[in-house]
Amino acid sequence: MAATALPPLPSQFKSIQHHLRTAQELDKREPVVAYYCRLYAMQTGMKIDSKTPECRKFLSKLMDQLEAMKKQFGDNEAITQDIVGSAHVENYALKMFLYADNEDRAGQFHKNMIKSFYTASLLIDVLTVFGELSEENAQHRKYARWKAAYIHNCLKNGETPQPGPIGMEGESFADVEREEAESSSLHSGTTQPTSSSTYEGVTSNTIQPSPQNIPLVDPSLYSAQSAGEVRLTPEDFARAQKYCKYAGSALQYEDVSTAVQNLQKALKLLITGRE
């Protein structure tokens, strides 16, 4: 866990306060994800304002936190190798998203589910430290942000939300962000209890089973042959591992379709050396 407490958050850095709060919440449970949340905040803060005294002081202390974490977890491949780190963060973001999405589709609307949608969107922000977002992740972020706002506003107004994908218009994310900001403090460097019992509901036995469309197995895999002597690179192995992790997360939340799709991607890569 990061040892250095942060000074008060400068007003210029309001947009990164939620990512820093998420880092605090994940310090013990998912330190690798917490590290990258801070790295995202650092990189974003540098772009916003690295010159005014209060911003420079804040960024300096944040850098101290990052250096301390890197020293503590320096032997972890998810810290030392970007492709492994990216897969780790993406996998955790997907886990949050799948939990919330399954709860939503089952009509189970509650604060913990809203927070999971909300956190998934923040963690997809964090993926930009590794490069440009994929189109799929960009869509997941947009959908998660909208769902968090939509369900929050429905419950606030005493209305019953509609489950699953519907028109993504007319919802403000500001109320969700404000409620999350009020539920914790960044000044002390320690996590404050939140009103939404962070992630306590993220277990497979809370998911309500629902009908699924199972994808057909790609027929090309039945006859796939190695193109000569396939030489898989470390990056190929990391990508295959990433797909297997995605499949494992999907199965944890009974999302068979996503599991099958990712297992097929891993199998094709390992057999042919191509995606």
Side-chain angles (χ1 to χ4, degrees):
M1 184 172 179
T4 306
L6 294 174
L9 185 78
S11 59
Q12 297 95 314
F13 292 161
K14 182 180 179 181
S15 65
I16 61 174
Q17 65 178 323
H18 310 290
H19 304 85
L20 289 170
R21 188 202 64 257
T22 299
Q24 290 178 350
E25 293 173 348
L26 295 177
D27 268 326
K28 291 184 179 180
R29 184 166 49 253
E30 278 287 339
V32 169
V33 180
Y35 171 83
Y36 284 112
C37 285
R38 289 188 172 92
L39 182 59
Y40 170 84
M42 181 74 187
Q43 292 181 355
T44 305
M46 290 288 289
K47 294 175 184 177
I48 295 173
D49 188 342
S50 61
K51 295 182 178 181
T52 58
E54 66 271 22
C55 289
R56 291 180 64 180
K57 180 180 178 181
F58 187 89
L59 291 172
S60 176
K61 293 296 184 182
L62 183 54
M63 178 66 78
D64 289 344
Q65 285 192 348
L66 284 166
E67 290 298 325
M69 295 186 77
K70 196 167 186 178
K71 184 176 181 180
Q72 182 179 357
F73 303 106
D75 58 347
N76 190 320
E77 287 188 343
I79 297 292
T80 60
Q81 298 184 31
D82 280 357
I83 192 168
V84 180
S86 176
H88 190 99
V89 176
E90 192 172 8
N91 184 56
Y92 196 75
L94 180 65
K95 185 184 295 186
M96 292 291 100
F97 183 89
L98 287 174
Y99 164 71
D101 190 46
N102 277 308
E103 290 287 271
D104 172 48
R105 291 170 189 267
Q108 304 294 321
F109 305 109
H110 47 83
K111 287 185 177 181
N112 204 43
M113 176 257 274
I114 295 171
K115 186 174 182 68
S116 291
F117 267 133
Y118 171 77
T119 301
S121 74
L122 296 178
L123 295 181
I124 296 174
D125 286 342
V126 172
L127 285 173
T128 60
V129 304
F130 304 104
E132 187 175 353
L133 291 179
S134 67
E135 179 62 27
E136 182 180 25
N137 281 331
Q139 289 299 320
H140 280 159
R141 179 173 63 178
K142 180 179 179 181
Y143 183 77
R145 286 175 63 89
W146 175 80
K147 266 293 181 179
Y150 168 71
I151 297 170
H152 174 274
N153 292 336
C154 282
L155 298 183
K156 181 181 177 181
N157 297 326
E159 301 170 357
T160 301
Q162 294 184 43
I166 54 177
M168 295 193 294
E169 300 295 337
E171 301 299 335
S172 171
F173 202 56
D175 283 350
V176 182
E177 291 184 322
R178 183 165 52 251
E179 184 172 301
E180 290 299 324
E182 290 171 354
S183 69
S184 62
S185 169
L186 290 172
H187 296 175
S188 65
T190 57
T191 306
Q192 302 296 322
T194 68
S195 60
S196 49
S197 304
T198 313
Y199 313 137
E200 289 179 0
V202 187
T203 56
S204 59
N205 59 11
T206 66
I207 304 300
Q208 301 296 321
S210 56
Q212 301 186 48
N213 293 319
I214 310 303
L216 296 174
V217 175
D218 183 351
S220 67
L221 290 176
Y222 291 122
S223 57
Q225 299 291 329
S226 297
E229 188 175 332
V230 176
R231 296 181 181 274
L232 297 175
T233 66
E235 289 76 17
D236 291 331
F237 284 112
R239 279 195 292 271
Q241 184 181 45
K242 178 181 71 172
Y243 290 135
C244 290
K245 283 184 176 180
Y246 291 169
S249 290
L251 287 175
Q252 185 178 2
Y253 302 106
E254 301 179 5
D255 186 347
V256 178
S257 176
T258 299
V260 170
Q261 289 171 4
N262 281 285
L263 287 172
Q264 289 188 119
K265 289 178 181 178
L267 187 57
K268 182 178 180 181
L269 177 59
L270 292 172
I271 292 175
T272 67
R274 301 187 304 275
E275 291 191 73

